[in-house]
Amino acid sequence: MLMIKVDLISPMRCDKCRRPAVLFQRYSGLHLCRDHFIADFETRAKRTIRENRWVLPGDRIAVAFSGGKDSSALLIFLHTLLSKRRDVSLLSITIDEGIRGYRDPARARSFAGDLGVPHVTVSFQERYGTTVDGIVEKKGDALSCSYCGVLRRNLLNEAARDAGATRLALGFNLDDEAQTVLMNVLRGDSARLLRGTRPVPGMVPRIKPFLSIPEREVALYTYLQTGRIDTGRCPYSHNALRAEVRQMLNAYAWKHPATRFALVNLGQELAALGSASPGTVHTCTRCGEPCGTTCRSCEILDEVRDGA
Ligand code: SF4
């Protein structure tokens, strides 16, 4: 995993205090210095939490913590926000998918330990008896992200539930969310677009405090808080449809800066429509996890074990 150190030197001045700026926000037209950027960042994340009533007294919040820039920012932010509250607790969960040279659960544990946040690691190998590298060996790497995504989502939910979490916090940022909406549109996947936010028995409700914050600002927040930027990439990430959609959306949003916000709003409005109609949730007869019509995790594990 490559970590680089960056010097932030800017000839521009903060529009609020005239100190050197670390960021120009194209969508607000503001230059911001370190302190005003951090204040603006945290204010927006807190507003998202407040508007969605995502943190309530008695909550135990599990942060999905890969150790990358987004989840590091999330852990730091939630720790800053909640460490003085006695009525809310925090823990972090790292999923080790078994991708050689990519994840380092020991580093994640040490990062969480430095903050004093309890940490749990769960691995594909222990839970499923295989790893993403093992799946790629058997099935090739064309569908690595589809398999990995489904199994990781399930395992995260299981680990959060086992740890008694009432919420599962994800470091998804504005870019991730906008890409997800666009991917679902491109696939014509109306079921996912209309998937509501109603509580589902067995599923720990997910929260995404950085929903309205662009990826580069999340990276900058992590850098300003830790002095480092993690540039490690999964060796299979080039296969993801997401990589193509990211490129396309970045090019379009450069000319039309409000596009990502518009896509996220569209996703939220469709999810609200979906929440209004009753959905059907089944429980997998084999693994007991909540699922749609069939348990995709069990299907994947069958394929991988049988080598189909
Ligand atoms: Fe898994 Fe794909 Fe993400 Fe790699 S890029 S961690 S294979 S989902």
Side-chain angles (χ1 to χ4, degrees), residues 79-86:
H79 173 68
T80 307
L81 181 69
L82 303 173
S83 59
K84 294 206 172 61
R85 282 184 64 165
R86 292 180 173 276

Side-chain angles (χ1 to χ4, degrees), residues 36-48 76-77 80-81 210 213 221 225:
H36 280 111
F37 163 68
I38 289 178
D40 176 79
F41 182 100
E42 294 183 345
T43 300
R44 278 184 293 150
K46 282 186 216 166
R47 189 186 311 132
T48 301
I76 293 167
F77 165 71
T80 307
L81 181 69
F210 297 160
I213 303 182
Y221 181 80
Q225 297 284 10

Side-chain angles (χ1 to χ4, degrees), residues 97 99 102-103 132 144-145 148-149 152 234 236-237:
E97 301 94 340
I99 301 171
Y102 178 47
R103 292 268 190 253
V132 170
S144 51
C145 291
C148 174
R152 188 180 46 204
C234 172
Y236 307 121
S237 59

